[in-house]
Amino acid sequence: MSDTANYSRIEPLRDGRLMEIRALRPDDKDELIAAVKRIGAQSLYRRFFGVKRDFTEKEVAFFLNIDFIHHVALVAVVDEGGKPTIIGGGRYVTIERGKAEVAFAVIDRYQGQGIGTALMRHLVTIARDAGLAELIAEVLPENLPMLKVFEKSGYRTNTKREARVIHVSLQLLQKSPGG
Ligand SMILES: CC(C)(COP(=O)(O)OP(=O)(O)OC[C@H]1O[C@@H](n2cnc3c(N)ncnc32)[C@H](O)[C@@H]1OP(=O)(O)O)[C@@H](O)C(=O)NCCC(=O)NCCS
């Protein structure tokens, strides 16, 4: 397993509270399931293209068994009543040499605090260090926050619109104009 398995950075939310962005750990299982339960239906739909709250053991294992080489997963953690609590996460899964698919989810009441943008920034840093050239995602056309997160990454974003989905591709070797 690479050093990324121990990744940890502290940074402020937009409201000044601190969050930790760290590597997902195998013992995060219960916390991760609890976080998914707190995500609203529309957000779940935007992440999974369906309102999915129950996952099979196989799916849970996929989400948790991260090698931090081909599959990298970060979580955002804040203090809630003295307890470090997962409130969002982002991951990428390599699909071919140099190219990985990314996905994010932030609990609704924490959205708009810069967490998605921060998760993207950290994942991009890790991906570039790992030699990846491209991050892709399928995003619903109405999902403006996610499109904005791509736009704010500072890298060139190419989009291809289809009837029900936008294929987004982030070019990690090309800074966006003004980025
Ligand atoms: C997409 C998502 C991960 C973004 O996370 P986030 O923490 O809200 O992102 P940020 O706070 O960094 O916001 C990014 C931009 O989106 C916009 N935004 C965020 N939440 C918004 C909301 N609820 N309504 C409108 N705009 C919103 C903000 O304008 C922000 O831009 P700004 O920094 O210029 O103000 C989050 O909204 C989410 O979990 N959505 C549901 C799941 C999903 O869509 N996953 C993506 C599948 S790949």
Side-chain angles (χ1 to χ4, degrees), residues 46-64:
R46 288 178 172 183
R47 167 65 176 83
F48 296 106
F49 291 27
V51 183
K52 191 166 169 61
R53 276 185 207 281
D54 296 310
F55 297 89
T56 63
E57 280 303 315
K58 203 171 159 195
E59 287 170 326
V60 172
F62 173 79
F63 284 126
L64 285 165

Side-chain angles (χ1 to χ4, degrees), residues 17 20-21 35 49 69 77 93 95 101 130 141 144 155 165 176:
R17 275 185 294 171
E20 181 186 14
I21 302 258
F49 291 27
I69 297 169
V77 178
V93 181
I95 50 175
E101 180 160 10
L144 300 181
Y155 290 89
V165 79
S176 64

Side-chain angles (χ1 to χ4, degrees), residues 34-153:
V36 170
K37 289 200 161 69
R38 297 175 65 192
I39 298 176
Q42 185 192 59
S43 292
L44 277 181
Y45 191 82
R46 288 178 172 183
R47 167 65 176 83
F48 296 106
F49 291 27
V51 183
K52 191 166 169 61
R53 276 185 207 281
D54 296 310
F55 297 89
T56 63
E57 280 303 315
K58 203 171 159 195
E59 287 170 326
V60 172
F62 173 79
F63 284 126
L64 285 165
N65 293 338
I66 313 298
D67 63 8
F68 287 101
I69 297 169
H70 302 295
H71 188 170
V72 171
L74 300 178
V75 286
V77 178
V78 298
D79 180 283
E80 280 191 347
K83 187 173 172 287
T85 305
I86 294 175
I87 45 113
R91 65 180 64 222
Y92 71 69
V93 181
T94 307
I95 50 175
E96 60 186 63
R97 196 179 166 85
K99 181 173 175 177
E101 180 160 10
V102 279
F104 301 84
V106 174
I107 290 175
D108 296 46
R109 57 178 281 224
Y110 286 98
Q111 290 175 10
Q113 291 273 351
I115 300 169
T117 302
L119 285 165
M120 175 67 99
R121 193 171 64 248
H122 291 281
L123 278 178
V124 163
T125 302
I126 294 168
R128 280 172 53 89
D129 286 350
L132 293 184
E134 187 178 6
L135 293 177
I136 61 151
E138 289 193 342
V139 181
L140 292 170
E142 68 273 20
N143 193 352
L144 300 181
M146 190 61 229
L147 294 170
K148 195 90 181 271
V149 165
F150 272 103
E151 202 180 289
K152 291 177 67 178
S153 70

